[in-house]
Amino acid sequence: MAQNFEVHPENPQARFLKQTAQILHAGGVAAIPTDSSYALVCRLDDKAAVENLRRIRGVDDKHHLTLLCRDLSELASYARVDNQQYRLLKLATPGPFTFILEATKEVPRRLSHPSRRTIGLRVPDHKVTQELLAIFGQPLLATTLIPPGEDEPLNDAADISARFDKLLQVIVDAGACALQPTTVIDLSGDEPVLVRRGQGDPDKLGLSFD
């Protein structure tokens, strides 16, 4: 059964986040709030935890998982970023954007896209997520908490608990999140490609997609 930690969305209790970080370091999978929706997270270098996360979410290795990073300096350790891409990322972070970038050797090959060697990365703008990342000490591997076979992410911790209590180790309840997913932009090619239009507005980045 999952441990349920109810935390304040703007001033989360550190003891609950420390317990969550300990469980994640030990190989657990957690449901946490972000600035777009609740997400499933685990340690990026724990193969069993990653397989468990994919199983819970109902996706295979072709589905892009995302690294949640604290800031751009941390993101740059896991993705190859040129000057033009960096300027774009600086405008977008922290915020509800996910960028698909070429992965560095710091990313285990089994986590990147099997044919493209790319990874999704983002810097979330949510106090609970940011403080958990700070305590955890490294990026978390994440995927939006959308139940298998459904299209909408879950937004209520009680609903998450009712449906996933036996599959998760931790549920961090910070109240309702936005229900709109992140905007996904692929920067791995010559030109930016809009993969999914979500909460983030590409116009704010100077990008115009038809």
Side-chain angles (χ1 to χ4, degrees):
M1 291 179 62
Q3 293 196 55
N4 286 260
F5 298 135
E6 190 172 333
V7 301
H8 192 280
E10 295 297 329
N11 188 26
Q13 300 89 320
R15 70 182 186 279
F16 290 146
L17 298 186
K18 287 177 181 175
Q19 285 179 263
T20 300
Q22 288 170 354
I23 293 168
L24 287 167
H25 274 299
V29 177
I32 68 167
T34 76
D35 53 343
S36 60
S37 64
Y38 274 83
L40 297 173
V41 298
C42 71
R43 239 178 67 191
L44 70 94
D45 54 354
D46 187 318
K47 183 179 180 181
V50 175
E51 288 176 352
N52 194 22
L53 180 144
R54 288 189 186 276
R55 193 178 307 114
I56 294 168
R57 177 67 167 77
V59 296
D60 60 20
D61 62 356
K62 294 179 179 63
H63 180 84
H64 264 113
L65 299 176
T66 299
L67 286 183
L68 301 181
C69 300
R70 289 178 63 192
D71 52 35
L72 280 184
S73 63
E74 193 170 66
L75 183 150
S77 298
Y78 296 90
R80 302 185 191 282
V81 180
D82 62 27
N83 290 337
Q84 185 177 354
Q85 291 169 334
Y86 185 84
R87 286 192 292 270
L88 197 64
L89 294 170
K90 197 169 183 181
L91 286 172
T93 55
F97 290 90
T98 299
F99 293 97
I100 296 173
L101 292 155
E102 183 184 353
T104 67
K105 291 180 180 179
E106 294 296 319
V107 178
R109 182 165 289 278
R110 58 188 157 75
L111 299 185
S112 57
H113 191 279
S115 61
R116 297 178 55 205
R117 190 69 177 130
T118 51
I119 188 80
L121 296 106
R122 83 180 195 94
V123 180
D125 187 15
H126 193 287
K127 189 73 171 177
V128 174
T129 323
Q130 280 286 342
E131 294 203 10
L132 176 59
L133 287 169
I135 291 169
F136 191 68
Q138 65 185 68
L140 283 165
L141 194 67
T143 185
T144 305
L145 207 176
I146 301 175
E150 298 183 23
D151 298 320
E152 297 295 327
L154 297 184
N155 194 39
D156 180 81
D159 190 17
I160 294 169
S161 180
R163 299 177 67 173
F164 291 94
D165 183 64
K166 294 180 180 179
L167 300 175
L168 300 173
Q169 283 66 57
V170 182
I171 298 169
V172 179
D173 178 3
C177 298
L179 263 177
Q180 196 172 13
T182 59
T183 292
V184 180
I185 300 174
D186 189 341
L187 297 180
S188 63
D190 295 333
E191 295 291 336
V193 175
L194 181 65
V195 178
R196 179 181 70 197
R197 187 179 292 273
Q199 191 177 344
D201 184 359
D203 291 342
K204 293 181 179 178
L205 311 182
L207 297 175
S208 179
F209 298 104
D210 295 330

